[in-house]
């Protein structure tokens, strides 16, 4: 019986990891193909970039709804809805025409929050408190692997299969994975009809936003995700102006992801052993105050690769630790909604800070922009010092209980 239960949870985890990988494969599918899109459809680079920009925008708009859906109907239902929408939308990309392609990307972008927002809830459902850091880290590795696969494999698929052939293959994979998840994955403690009816019709968004610990986490999401995306988005431009080859920035981005995968395997499990999430967050994020300058203004690409790998190794595991904190503070009953708010605010930071740093650069220079980025990271680390994280699985506290 125990062996069957253990096998079941690994099947669920594997099916979920595949879904997470697919979200990032579609998200970054056209990042290395922008030039191809501009030539194929005779559009501007900015227009072509909307095949990517719709993802943070959709995450910002729909993550809250996805969180509420998870809390009301369960994460399995939410993931099934996301995968079904992904499969249908991926099929639209097979048809010729840029706006059919963009429509497919919009549909896929809407599906992403239904899947990614489930990380905390699924881990809490299938794995004990002593394992939550490890398996949340494994889930975030799925995100990083999907990013790396998409950036590396997308041009190769188009080269081998042609554009329509590549779109057809990815649509078939999405449809197949939707069916696989439907038949293999289930909830360990499913949301029953009785408990569903007993839940309030609305999610306590105001209470979640006013919770001291969650408010701090949401603020760090805005700063952290925004700064990281701005850094990786404008790295190619900065390095190009410094005389580095254009493909060097792509390699540096790959080194960040590779370092992040290694860090996500090694650092989040320490949370299960030592149970000091605030300290671990500082260990992950405080070194960025020194590493960002060394990475961006490295003397050579090779030194940049080394600093980038170290930056990714420390910075990226903070995502798994943060999601574990959200589950502890909001508890399973509200973890979906809290995760939805987290991704909404984080993606607002992605859009807002990326644009702000470009405007700042136009008014000053890149070195000043990076200095401001480091100051924001220092403010984020100061906010982390204000966290008062409860022990494992302490129930959600209303703001009145934390006001003292």
């Amino acid at each position: 019986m125990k062996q069957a239960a253990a096998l079941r949870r690994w099947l669920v985890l594997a099916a979920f990891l595949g879904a997470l990988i697919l979200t990032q494969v579609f998200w970054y599918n056209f990042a290395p193909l922008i030039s191809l899109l501009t030539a194929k459809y005779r559009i501007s680079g900015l227009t072509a970039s909307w095949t990517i920009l719709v993802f943070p925008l959709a995450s910002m708009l729909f993550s809250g709804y996805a969180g509420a859906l998870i809390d009301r109907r369960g994460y399995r239902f939410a993931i099934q809805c996301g995968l079904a929408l992904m499969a249908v939308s991926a099929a639209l990309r097979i048809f010729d025409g840029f706006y059919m392609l963009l429509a497919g990307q919009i549909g896929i972008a809407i599906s992403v929050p239904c899947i990614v927002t489930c990380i905390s809830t699924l881990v809490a459902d299938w794995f004990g408190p002593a394992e939550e850091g490890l398996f949340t880290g494994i889930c975030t590795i799925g995100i990083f692997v999907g990013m790396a696969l998409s950036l590396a494999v997308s041009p190769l698929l188009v080269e081998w299969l042609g554009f329509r052939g590549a779109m057809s293959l990815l649509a078939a994979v999405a449809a197949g994975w939707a069916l696989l998840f439907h038949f293999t994955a289930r909830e360990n403690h499913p949301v029953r009809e009785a408990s569903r009816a007993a839940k309030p019709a609305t999610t306590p968004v105001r209470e979640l936003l006013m919770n001291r610990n969650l408010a701090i986490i949401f603020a760090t999401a805005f700063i952290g995700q925004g700064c990281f995306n701005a850094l990786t988005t404008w790295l190619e431009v900065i390095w190009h102006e410094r005389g580095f080859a254009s493909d060097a920035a792509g390699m540096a981005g790959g080194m960040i992801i590779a370092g992040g995968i290694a860090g996500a395997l090694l650092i989040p499990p320490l949370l299960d052993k030592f149970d000091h999430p605030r300290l671990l967050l500082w260990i992950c994020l405080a070194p960025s105050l020194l590493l960002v300058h060394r990475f961006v203004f490295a003397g050579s690409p090779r030194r940049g690769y080394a600093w980038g790998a170290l930056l990714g190794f420390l910075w990226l595991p903070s995502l798994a630790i943060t999601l574990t904190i959200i589950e502890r503070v909001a508890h399973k009953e509200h973890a979906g909604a809290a995760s939805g708010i987290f991704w909404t605010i984080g993606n607002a930071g992605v859009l807002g800070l990326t644009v702000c740093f470009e405007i700042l650069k136009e008014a000053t220079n890149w070195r000043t922009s990076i200095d401001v980025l480091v100051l924001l990271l220092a403010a984020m680390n100061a906010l982390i010092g204000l966290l008062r994280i409860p022990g494992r699985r302490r129930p959600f506290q209303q703001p009145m209980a934390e006001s003292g």
Side-chain angles (χ1 to χ4, degrees):
M1 196 70 173
K2 287 184 178 180
Q3 285 184 333
L7 177 61
R8 169 61 66 178
R9 73 175 190 167
W10 284 106
L11 282 174
V12 171
L13 181 64
F16 182 54
L17 281 174
L20 286 173
I21 290 171
L22 281 177
T23 63
Q24 305 307 300
V25 166
F26 284 110
W27 187 317
Y28 293 96
N29 194 185
F30 297 113
L33 300 173
I34 293 296
S35 298
L36 184 150
L37 294 182
T38 58
K40 179 178 175 64
Y41 296 111
R42 297 181 181 179
I43 54 177
S44 68
L46 178 61
T47 301
S49 69
W50 277 106
T51 57
I52 305 166
L53 294 176
V54 292
F55 283 86
L57 182 61
S59 292
M60 186 175 70
L61 294 175
F62 293 100
S63 290
Y65 295 104
L69 178 67
I70 294 163
D71 289 341
R72 289 285 298 167
R73 299 294 301 272
Y75 61 82
R76 181 176 184 268
F77 180 80
I79 296 170
Q80 285 179 313
C81 289
L83 286 173
L85 178 58
M86 179 184 289
V88 172
S89 301
L92 293 178
R93 308 189 322 161
I94 300 172
F95 300 98
D96 198 24
F98 174 74
Y99 290 102
M100 285 296 287
L101 185 74
L102 183 60
Q105 289 295 93
I106 292 171
I108 296 169
I110 295 171
S111 76
V112 168
C114 294
I115 299 168
V116 174
T117 309
C118 295
I119 291 175
S120 297
T121 311
L122 183 144
V123 169
D125 186 40
W126 277 100
F127 303 97
E131 301 173 307
E132 59 188 5
L134 171 63
F135 287 100
T136 303
I138 290 174
C139 289
T140 60
I141 288 172
I143 293 176
F144 304 148
V145 168
M147 293 169 58
L149 272 177
S150 188
L151 293 171
V153 175
S154 293
L156 297 177
L157 287 179
V158 173
E159 182 181 343
W160 294 338
L161 304 174
F163 190 81
R164 178 170 288 185
M167 298 303 102
S168 300
L169 175 62
L170 290 174
V173 171
W177 206 266
L179 290 172
L180 178 69
F181 186 89
H182 176 76
F183 288 111
T184 61
R186 66 174 176 83
E187 295 189 22
N188 192 26
H189 303 95
V191 178
R192 305 292 181 187
E193 290 294 333
S195 62
R196 187 184 302 161
K199 288 185 178 182
T202 58
T203 302
V205 175
R206 183 174 180 274
E207 287 82 356
L208 291 170
L209 288 171
M210 292 184 67
N211 181 278
R212 172 194 173 96
N213 286 318
L214 291 177
I216 293 170
I217 288 296
F218 298 151
T220 62
F222 183 91
I223 298 172
Q225 292 186 41
C227 286
F228 183 82
N229 190 80
L231 180 66
T232 54
T233 297
W234 300 120
L235 179 67
E236 192 273 336
V237 178
I238 298 173
W239 276 22
H240 179 74
E241 291 181 3
R242 299 186 61 229
F244 295 170
S246 58
D247 61 348
M251 177 64 73
M255 294 303 294
I256 292 176
I257 295 171
I261 292 172
L265 277 173
L266 298 175
I267 295 177
L270 297 176
L271 183 61
D272 303 329
K273 191 171 184 179
F274 300 110
D275 200 27
H276 291 294
R278 184 174 62 178
L279 177 61
L280 276 182
L281 276 181
W282 266 332
I283 290 172
C284 289
L285 296 172
S288 64
L289 302 178
L290 299 175
L291 293 175
V292 166
H293 268 101
R294 292 183 176 275
F295 170 56
V296 175
F297 301 111
S300 67
R302 287 188 177 183
R303 289 184 181 179
Y305 301 157
W307 289 120
L310 181 58
L311 184 66
F313 179 84
L314 293 169
W315 192 338
L316 295 184
S318 65
L319 175 60
I321 297 168
T322 302
L323 292 173
T324 302
I325 292 172
I326 289 173
E327 192 278 324
R328 287 190 186 181
V329 176
H331 206 51
K332 185 181 176 182
E333 289 79 4
H334 302 293
S339 296
I341 297 171
F342 169 80
W343 291 109
T344 297
I345 294 176
N347 281 285
V350 166
L351 290 172
L353 292 184
T354 302
V355 173
C356 285
F357 281 114
E358 169 66 5
I359 295 172
L360 181 62
K361 179 263 178 184
E362 292 298 324
T364 57
N365 53 62
W366 279 121
R367 187 169 290 275
T368 300
S369 299
I370 296 300
D371 288 341
V372 173
L373 185 146
V374 172
L375 286 175
L376 285 174
L377 292 176
M380 180 178 67
N381 278 276
L383 284 173
I384 291 170
L386 301 176
L387 286 170
R388 299 293 182 267
I389 308 300
R392 293 188 177 103
R393 302 292 170 84
R394 179 175 154 188
F396 171 71
Q397 298 290 321
Q398 297 293 338
M400 289 296 292
E402 297 201 359
S403 61

